[in-house]
Amino acid sequence: MGGSLAGLLAAHVLAGHADRVTVVERDRFPEGAEPRSGVPHGRHPHVLLEGGQMAMESLLPGFVAELGAAGAPRVGMPSDMVLWQKGRWFRRVPATTHIYTGSRAQLEELVRRRVLANPVISTMEGTDAVGLLGDASRVRGVLLRDRSGDARGEQRAVEADLVVDASGSGSKAPEWLTEIGAEAPHEETIDTGLAYASRVYRGRSGVLDGDTTGYYVYPNPDQVHAGGALPLEDGSHLVIVSGLRGDEPPRGDDEFVTYAKRLPHPLLHRWLDEAEPLTSAFGYRRTANARRRYDLPGRRPAGFLAVGDALCTFNPIYGQGMAVAAMNAVALRDALADPRRTPTTRRVQRELLASSRQAWDISAGADRKMPGAVGNAVDGGPADRFADWYLGRVQECAPGDPVVGRAFRAVLVLAAPVSALFAPPVARAVLFGQPAPSPTEPPETREETEV
């Protein structure tokens, strides 16, 4: 259920284990790299982190090269970006990781083309899933209805040995499970009320050309406004500004530029004043972190799995969603292929959740400290408080210390486990050293020093 990245990649994996895989999608797939109404945040900035690149390459060999050949910008971190976090500018030392910043529509179209070329996989487009078949012991299929606009339209039942919910953060599966006598999952939430607006620009000055391809200011409890500009495949930049509940970015075009003045430096505002807008501003408000705990004990039917945002949704400001969708698919593949264990529903669902845990810890850990955050997962225990303190020290050291910065970035892009932050050279700098000097103004050029 769902033909976005999480659903397509899950279908790709399942095609190796099933006679037939059907992708049910409420939209009609576009012919090319066009945004879809079913992906309401699709026109906003998306990045493919290094952890996601590794997962995609594992699933679809050659995909990263194909993405680059299609023109998706490959941005070195921190060398190619002007970055600000927690009151400090990052030194632009040689890149230790790279991200792809092309449009979501382009990346999804490339995945869709590869996945749907498999004859085992078919699609049912323009179709809504409206319920589940089965009972508390096993899900046996789905109820579908054509998207004719008639809520009373005829439903049809489609039987299946396995149903995968990839319908996104607005999934109705929890209530459908209760309708067949099963138990809805416990849901953990953290919501800062963050809202953002985006707009495409083409620069007229050299601020975001040459050595500098992008700019980003991360939010923190003392500086709640964030924003930046990331390059797209056509040479333009997708600009984003964000604020918290009660101070959301306006949706008007004129106010978009003015709102950028809230950032801690006028660099982006000055660039916007000279740049040519290519689109109107468009907003997005649904940014809560939410995790559905299908892994916990309860009346959980066999034959049902959740992946992607239907399982775990992150504040989009951290850019983790596409990477985790790919990492979920790798976890699904590995769980089904493990010769040592029978892939029961609960065991596989645990592996799926585990593949998203690091991203959750990063996003939820940052958001629970933001002013005004609400939700049943805001209050952490003693371990969370120590982790918050240690991570705060890491953030103070990372902008000026290349060793700490390398480990910090590797964890944030999901390419290394959190334990990398506790490696002896990093721990010594974090626990016993003073933060190394970092630029006092946005650094205009790269450093040549090897890390």
Side-chain angles (χ1 to χ4, degrees), residues 171-210:
S171 168
K172 299 293 191 298
E175 58 192 69
W176 296 342
L177 288 168
T178 63
E179 291 172 0
I180 62 171
E183 188 176 344
H186 170 67
E187 188 167 320
E188 301 169 334
T189 61
I190 300 175
D191 185 6
T192 66
L194 182 139
Y196 55 87
S198 304
R199 196 178 185 190
V200 180
Y201 283 83
R202 192 174 302 279
R204 290 175 176 161
S205 71
V207 175
L208 291 178
D209 290 315

Side-chain angles (χ1 to χ4, degrees), residues 1 8 25 27 36 76 94 141 155 174 197 208 228 254 266 275 285 290 364 401 408 415:
M1 300 186 293
L8 290 169
E25 170 53 46
D27 285 342
R36 295 189 292 114
Q155 297 180 1
L208 291 178
D254 293 338
R285 298 289 187 268
D401 186 323
F408 182 57

Side-chain angles (χ1 to χ4, degrees), residues 1-12 21 23 115 164-167 307-308 325:
M1 300 186 293
S4 196
L5 285 177
L8 290 169
L9 294 173
H12 172 72
V21 179
V23 177
V115 170
V164 177
D165 181 15
S167 59
V307 298

Side-chain angles (χ1 to χ4, degrees), residues 15 21 49 69 74 88 137 186 210 241 244 259 268 279 282 327 333 342 370 375 386 399 404 450:
V21 179
L49 305 177
R74 182 174 183 260
R88 305 188 72 195
S137 63
H186 170 67
V241 290
L244 299 187
Y259 195 87
L268 183 62
T279 68
F282 35 94
M327 294 166 76
R333 180 198 65 190
T342 301
M370 296 296 285
F386 171 75
V404 178
E450 291 294 331

Side-chain angles (χ1 to χ4, degrees), residues 99-446:
I99 61 174
Y100 282 88
T101 64
S103 66
R104 162 70 180 256
Q106 181 196 57
L107 187 144
E108 189 170 300
E109 193 271 335
L110 293 174
V111 171
R112 187 166 59 241
R113 187 193 310 162
R114 288 279 297 269
V115 170
L116 297 186
N118 188 331
V120 173
I121 302 172
S122 62
T123 63
M124 299 179 68
E125 300 173 49
T127 303
D128 278 324
V130 295
L132 297 173
L133 303 175
D135 51 39
S137 63
R138 173 171 285 277
V139 169
R140 303 182 187 280
V142 291
L143 285 171
L144 303 177
R145 183 171 57 216
D146 289 336
R147 295 200 72 201
S148 61
D150 183 1
R152 296 169 297 179
E154 183 178 352
Q155 297 180 1
R156 65 186 186 277
V158 175
E159 294 185 353
D161 297 301
L162 175 67
V163 173
V164 177
D165 181 15
S167 59
S169 59
S171 168
K172 299 293 191 298
E175 58 192 69
W176 296 342
L177 288 168
T178 63
E179 291 172 0
I180 62 171
E183 188 176 344
H186 170 67
E187 188 167 320
E188 301 169 334
T189 61
I190 300 175
D191 185 6
T192 66
L194 182 139
Y196 55 87
S198 304
R199 196 178 185 190
V200 180
Y201 283 83
R202 192 174 302 279
R204 290 175 176 161
S205 71
V207 175
L208 291 178
D209 290 315
D211 275 358
T212 304
T213 58
Y215 171 82
Y216 210 83
V217 167
Y218 291 92
N220 67 66
D222 298 320
Q223 161 56 44
V224 299
H225 298 100
L230 296 174
L232 294 174
E233 56 267 23
D234 63 358
S236 64
H237 280 77
L238 186 48
V239 178
I240 182 173
V241 290
S242 71
L244 299 187
R245 188 184 296 108
D247 189 20
E248 297 91 345
R251 296 180 180 177
D253 292 346
D254 293 338
E255 296 89 347
F256 182 88
V257 177
T258 303
Y259 195 87
K261 289 182 178 180
R262 288 168 165 80
L263 299 182
H265 192 278
L267 185 150
L268 183 62
H269 179 257
R270 292 171 183 167
W271 185 81
L272 291 174
D273 260 346
E274 299 179 2
E276 174 193 3
L278 302 182
T279 68
S280 296
F282 35 94
Y284 192 69
R285 298 289 187 268
R286 295 175 57 185
T287 61
N289 304 278
R291 181 163 65 167
R292 296 183 172 108
R293 299 302 303 271
Y294 287 106
D295 59 308
L296 297 178
R299 295 192 307 279
R300 305 275 180 256
F304 175 85
L305 297 172
V307 298
D309 283 356
L311 175 62
C312 196
T313 305
F314 314 96
N315 185 337
I317 206 77
Y318 304 110
Q320 302 164 318
M322 296 197 303
V324 172
M327 294 166 76
N328 280 178
V330 170
L332 177 63
R333 180 198 65 190
D334 293 349
L336 295 179
D338 188 346
R340 302 165 300 170
R341 298 179 177 180
T342 301
T344 63
T345 298
R346 178 167 294 177
R347 180 168 290 142
V348 175
Q349 191 67 78
R350 285 174 178 167
E351 294 300 317
L352 289 168
L353 190 77
S355 69
S356 66
R357 184 165 296 130
Q358 181 166 321
W360 171 267
D361 289 343
I362 292 169
S363 182
D367 277 4
R368 66 164 50 99
K369 299 191 292 290
M370 296 296 285
V374 297
N376 61 8
V378 168
D379 295 327
D384 290 318
R385 287 191 286 274
F386 171 75
D388 290 345
W389 174 85
Y390 188 85
L391 183 59
R393 286 284 298 167
V394 170
Q395 290 174 325
E396 291 173 2
C397 296
D401 186 323
V403 173
V404 178
R406 175 193 287 269
F408 182 57
R409 284 186 291 277
V411 171
L412 289 185
V413 300
L414 309 177
V418 174
S419 58
L421 298 177
F422 296 90
V426 179
R428 278 196 299 270
V430 170
L431 295 174
F432 305 114
Q434 291 297 318
S438 61
T440 57
E441 290 291 322
E444 296 182 359
T445 58
R446 304 183 181 110

